[in-house]
Amino acid sequence: MAGVAFQFAGLRKHDPDGFGGFQLLARLGEGGMGQVFLALSPGGVPAAVKVIRSEFTQEPQFAERFAQEIAAAQRVRGAHIAALLDADARAAQPWLATSYVAGPSLRDLVLGTSGLPERQVLLLAGGIAHALTDIHTARVVHRDLKPANIVLDETGPKVIDFGIVKSLTQSATYTSQSTRIGTPLYMSPEQAMGRAVGAASDVFALGSTLYFLATGQEAFGAENEWAVAHRIVADAPDLSAVPEPLRRLLTDCLNKDPDRRPTPSQVRERCDVLLGNGAGSSSWMSIDGAREAIRERTNALRALTVRSQEVGSTPTRPEAPPGSGNGNKQKRSATAPDGPPEQPSRPAQPDKPSPRPSTDRFPTTLGRSLLFMALAALVSATQRPMLEETFTLASAGQKAVRVVLAFDWQHPLGAANGSPDSSDWLLAPITIIGTAVAILLAAIGLPRAGRKPGNLATWASVVSMLLAAGFLLLGVAVLKDHTADSAYTAVDRHLLSGGWRCIIANTLILATGGLIVWWDEIRPTWKPK
């Protein structure tokens, strides 16, 4: 459609104003899983907001699994990835927002052509492999890599539309006509056979994607889905039209045995070797058709954003019958999901601003309770004796000196009166002050719990747990140590009420830190058998 300027499809009358603070500007596409909107974040950053169809939320466990998948995806960051910005798994209409990439999908770029030159395919292969490396490093599998889910802008290819929703909706109770989500053309053999899917499955999908970029054809195209699945499992693609260096790479990526496929890092290294020093940051815009397609979308986004800011309200919503768009360019938008047209349904209600999901509030509420009890135990410990020491004389074999250690607020580092052991007087102040530091670290990280794995909450919790564990071990070591200085043969130590309160405080700190680490790092990826 040369000569037709790219433009976004306008919002419809029944579309909501926004979700979770994201103001909707236009429609990017719709399919069997839901609708995708172009939006502005509360900070004015363009975003693609995917709204899940209500049919998929009927299963009671959907929101819980969705929240776990979102938490896992939030760990993924990289130069060639459209980052997940925010999501709400428990809204009336669950949604997620990712960074919007102003450029064409690789499918749009190549569709209708005989493919790209070999060096351009290798350049794109290196960028996509870089993205997969970052994804797999975060212990996530994309599960739906294909040309339509890779968008090209002036900084390179960006992998979008993680298989979060796809993996969830395929396991949900859904009895409509469209029971298969997406297309099997880029599945791996293990996916087609219903086996466990790992990182190697994404490498097979990468091979199928590179075949499409090099030839303009599907590697395992057939008349129907069953024939496609059979070809993926049993047949080898025709690579006769692919130049030899690239052909060898595709052969390895499309190996039926997952264990014999290269890793994304190995794919990237091979591409770098084949490209030599000819690939630079400006090479992306030299890819056939990329410069004009990126310029069109960038200009359309700028015009839409400026118009929205000038109006100062929700964009106008022209009447539009279901399924209407703005031509072929809009039918395959850069972030539009594949699938059948949306069927007429009851109007969606705009989301009202709401607090963060309950999955975020739970660890914060419970953690505050634990820390409050730890602080109360620590303050109480400072008002009571902590440790009793009884020293035995070496010469007479009699118990001669009895010392009680306690924390003195007026002289926090003052020595214990009459203690024959020159180091024991440090036990009380070190324990009290160190426990207070551990509580402070846990309190710093607690408000951030449940937001993003690997953030300040996790690091602060780990440090506070190490401190608390150290003081518990110190208590055990002190009680088991019966050695004394030269004039005394032994010393007997017993914890008093203040010491036991310190142990309780540190145990509660360990529980708080463990809760945050479990909630942010382990729980999102833990799958019960």
Side-chain angles (χ1 to χ4, degrees):
M1 297 188 62
V4 178
F6 176 89
Q7 59 180 346
F8 296 102
L11 297 174
R12 300 174 186 167
K13 289 193 68 175
H14 65 269
D15 289 335
D17 292 335
F19 291 90
F22 287 80
Q23 178 194 353
L24 302 189
L25 299 180
R27 279 178 163 256
L28 293 176
E30 57 189 55
M33 290 185 292
Q35 304 162 336
V36 183
F37 297 93
L38 176 63
L40 287 179
S41 73
V45 177
V49 176
K50 175 177 285 187
V51 184
I52 313 305
R53 290 172 65 93
S54 58
E55 290 91 331
F56 296 119
T57 64
Q58 301 305 312
E59 187 180 359
Q61 299 302 317
F62 176 87
E64 182 72 15
R65 294 200 317 276
F66 193 18
Q68 292 175 2
E69 294 279 352
I70 289 169
Q74 282 179 320
R75 287 198 302 270
V76 181
R77 290 290 185 272
H80 294 284
I81 294 170
L84 181 64
L85 301 178
D86 201 357
D88 191 345
R90 300 188 182 278
Q93 284 186 287
W95 58 271
L96 57 89
T98 60
S99 300
Y100 175 70
V101 184
S105 72
L106 296 188
R107 181 171 182 81
D108 288 343
L109 197 64
V110 175
L111 193 63
T113 71
S114 58
L116 300 174
E118 179 189 13
R119 287 188 62 82
Q120 295 182 10
V121 175
L122 289 171
L123 183 64
L124 290 169
I128 302 168
H130 189 172
L132 289 180
T133 300
D134 292 332
I135 293 170
H136 297 164
T137 299
R139 295 174 295 170
V140 176
V141 180
H142 189 290
R143 292 174 292 196
D144 197 23
L145 187 72
K146 55 188 177 183
N149 282 344
I150 305 168
V151 183
L152 181 66
D153 66 6
E154 64 273 9
T155 61
K158 303 291 188 297
V159 174
I160 65 168
D161 202 11
F162 281 36
I164 299 173
V165 181
K166 179 166 181 166
S167 68
L168 294 171
T169 52
Q170 283 182 327
S171 62
T173 303
Y174 184 52
T175 57
S176 75
Q177 297 292 327
S178 178
T179 55
R180 177 176 289 277
I181 309 300
T183 171
L185 282 168
Y186 295 87
M187 286 183 179
S188 63
E190 53 269 29
Q191 271 183 301
M193 292 186 289
R195 296 177 180 174
V197 172
S201 179
D202 285 345
V203 176
F204 190 94
L206 172 61
S208 297
T209 296
L210 298 181
Y211 183 95
F212 175 81
L213 298 182
T215 65
Q217 304 294 323
E218 310 290 357
F220 301 99
E223 293 182 356
N224 55 63
E225 294 179 354
W226 304 109
V228 169
H230 174 77
R231 288 201 62 199
I232 289 174
V233 173
D235 295 349
D238 180 10
L239 299 176
S240 59
V242 180
E244 179 51 41
L246 180 58
R247 182 189 309 173
R248 192 176 304 113
L249 177 62
L250 296 190
T251 300
D252 293 343
C253 291
L254 294 174
N255 197 303
K256 306 297 183 184
D257 183 357
D259 295 332
R260 300 183 65 181
R261 297 171 200 155
T263 65
S265 294
Q266 291 170 338
V267 172
R268 184 184 176 190
E269 291 172 2
R270 290 170 65 171
C271 291
D272 289 343
V273 170
L274 293 173
L275 288 171
N277 297 324
S281 58
S282 62
S283 301
W284 306 114
M285 297 296 283
S286 66
I287 293 176
D288 292 354
R291 185 178 299 275
E292 183 60 27
I294 293 172
R295 183 187 297 116
E296 286 182 347
R297 286 160 177 79
T298 302
N299 290 340
L301 175 62
R302 184 182 299 113
L304 188 61
T305 303
V306 170
R307 186 163 62 249
S308 173
Q309 293 173 345
E310 289 176 349
V311 173
S313 61
T314 304
T316 55
R317 302 155 183 262
E319 293 280 359
S324 66
N326 67 326
N328 292 335
K329 286 188 178 181
Q330 185 58 33
K331 289 181 181 178
R332 290 195 178 274
S333 168
T335 52
D338 293 336
E342 180 192 20
Q343 299 300 319
S345 59
R346 62 182 178 83
Q349 299 298 323
D351 270 15
K352 296 180 180 180
S354 59
R356 294 193 64 83
S358 60
T359 52
D360 290 350
R361 294 195 300 266
F362 174 76
T364 304
T365 302
L366 180 57
R368 283 174 179 167
S369 301
L370 293 174
L371 280 186
F372 180 82
M373 290 188 290
L375 182 60
L378 180 63
V379 172
S380 177
T382 63
Q383 309 298 322
R384 290 169 171 78
M386 297 177 60
L387 184 70
E388 179 188 69
E389 295 180 324
T390 303
F391 291 82
T392 301
L393 284 172
S395 58
Q398 300 176 3
K399 294 182 178 179
V401 181
R402 178 178 176 271
V403 178
V404 176
L405 302 182
F407 183 78
D408 187 355
W409 282 102
Q410 294 181 344
H411 305 284
L413 296 180
N417 232 351
S419 176
D421 194 326
S422 60
S423 61
D424 284 0
W425 67 272
L426 290 171
L427 292 176
I430 287 178
T431 302
I432 294 294
I433 296 174
T435 304
V437 171
I439 292 176
L440 178 62
L441 286 171
I444 290 174
L446 189 59
R448 297 163 177 81
R451 294 188 180 182
K452 292 182 180 179
N455 63 4
L456 180 60
T458 301
W459 289 109
S461 300
V462 169
V463 175
S464 67
M465 289 172 65
L466 291 175
L467 283 173
F471 291 124
L472 291 176
L473 292 175
L474 177 63
V476 173
V478 167
L479 291 177
K480 286 189 175 182
D481 182 18
H482 296 286
T483 61
D485 287 346
S486 57
Y488 301 90
T489 57
V491 57
D492 292 323
R493 296 182 175 92
H494 302 282
L495 283 180
L496 301 180
S497 60
W500 286 112
R501 282 168 171 77
C502 282
I503 287 182
I504 292 173
N506 282 284
T507 302
L508 292 169
I509 295 170
L510 274 175
T512 304
L515 169 69
I516 297 173
V517 173
W518 163 263
W519 199 268
D520 280 355
E521 297 293 333
I522 302 175
R523 181 176 174 273
T525 57
W526 181 71
K527 303 293 183 182
K529 296 183 179 179

